[in-house]
Amino acid sequence: MKKVLLIGFPFPLRPGGSPRLLGLAKYLPKFDWQPVILTAPLDEEYNGTYRIVETDNRNPLSFWIRLFRLNPDEDVRKQFQQRLNITPGRSFLDRLFTLAGEIINYPDADKGWKPFAVKAGDLIINQEDIAAIISTSVPLTGHIVARELKTRHKIPWIADLRDLWTQNHNYIYSSLRKLVDKRLELKTLSQADALVTVSQPWADKLSTLHHKAACAITNGFDPETVNIPSAVLTAKFTITYTGTIYPENQDLSRLFTALSNLISDKTIDPDNIEIRFYGPGADRLDREIKQYGLSGIAIQYGQVPRDVALEKQRESQLLLLLKWEEEQEKGNYPGKAFEYLAAARPILATGGSQGDVVDALLEATGAGIAAPTMEDIKRALVALYRDYKTHGQITYNGLDSEINKYSHREMAYKFSRILDHLVPR
């Protein structure tokens, strides 16, 4: 069995990580590839069966944290703003502070990991006969580490971008920073033997920028977490959302308007419905709930452990998926779309643009309904509520044969095909 070095941050063992990395580590051995994960210090203890090598990671803001005696476990930007009496988003000092952050955290906040990761990677490759490398971002620093290791040791490298780099739909930096970032992206990924991202529209973008083929391999779910046997469902017509809501890019107003109207015209009994939000608390969401007259119906339960969130998904009548509100962005798969597939409960995807990858996913798998407009949402809720009243639960019509195409095992198989091509037997 050949060995592959996986460079990145595994979720939920470290913030900013992805289940994709652990999925690869778990299922690549099924296809004759033994993984070794190279990562920064983990927040949780790991007791799994595959090898993880942790290295140090130097925070680029550590000097300023010590100088101003800040709490490294809290939002450093907010602490600076409070300490220096900076008005967020308005003052010259805040703009200056933003610029300083772009410089200090270039190319990302984990750049201090690079020297430790390169040193550890050298050692692993020399001692363990590593045949190939896969780096997955974020962090982008992982690709820079992989490029250096590939150059030193002349072994094949797959660069996996779960989010695009400068073509990112959620790029937060200035146009000047983007120009600098683009140069670094082109320089770094020019050495990759294969480029991978999570959807075909993004693969097309990546291929155009780098003038080389890019492969689309979607995210997925661990087949061992599928809701079998099915959990006992809630008695109420329950709609559940788990995770963070990004108010700048995700919109609840259409859903809330549709529900408010259906409750007002007595199509839906307010005593028989609950909308549950599990994730970081948001004052803005509470205000919206009150604005649409849904107090006591739509409830924020706050952040819960991951296993609790999965349990709440499985027992829910309906799962809410908030699509990204950008008409031109058709390649964005929300990560929880695949988590929801494992829950084996109907999905209602609201907002976003018609004909995107989420719509195609739901249509192919039969796992849910895409409802971009308020009227679409209203029609969907009427049909779902009637089904619930008739059968005591919403009927789930997911197609196992199609859903299984999005498992971590299938994802690992597709990566193994690329590895086998780069490293012939």
Side-chain angles (χ1 to χ4, degrees), residues 146-166:
R147 178 183 184 273
E148 190 154 332
L149 293 174
K150 184 251 179 350
T151 303
R152 291 186 185 191
H153 299 278
K154 311 301 180 187
I155 57 178
W157 162 39
I158 300 173
D160 174 42
L161 291 89
R162 304 189 312 272
D163 284 306
L164 298 182
W165 193 329
T166 56

Side-chain angles (χ1 to χ4, degrees), residues 11-12 19 219-222 225-227 240-244 278 305-314 319-321 334-345 347 361 396 403 406 408:
F11 177 85
N219 287 311
F221 60 89
D222 187 343
T225 66
V226 173
N227 184 17
T240 300
Y241 180 92
T242 58
T244 302
Y278 294 94
R306 177 172 169 75
D307 58 341
V308 175
L310 296 179
E311 178 186 335
K312 298 302 180 184
Q313 292 173 12
R314 293 166 184 160
L319 298 173
L320 174 62
L321 187 66
K336 67 170 51 62
F338 303 98
E339 195 174 86
Y340 282 179
L341 289 181
R345 294 305 305 145
I347 300 167
L361 175 71
Y396 178 64
I403 290 171
Y406 299 95
H408 282 167

Side-chain angles (χ1 to χ4, degrees), residues 22 171 251 263 351:
L22 290 182
Y171 191 85
D251 181 25
I263 290 170

Side-chain angles (χ1 to χ4, degrees), residues 169-186:
H169 64 286
N170 199 29
Y171 191 85
I172 62 174
Y173 299 114
S174 65
S175 55
L176 177 60
R177 163 69 185 264
K178 191 169 186 176
L179 285 174
V180 178
D181 263 340
K182 186 176 180 180
R183 289 185 60 186
L184 180 63
E185 177 182 355
L186 292 170

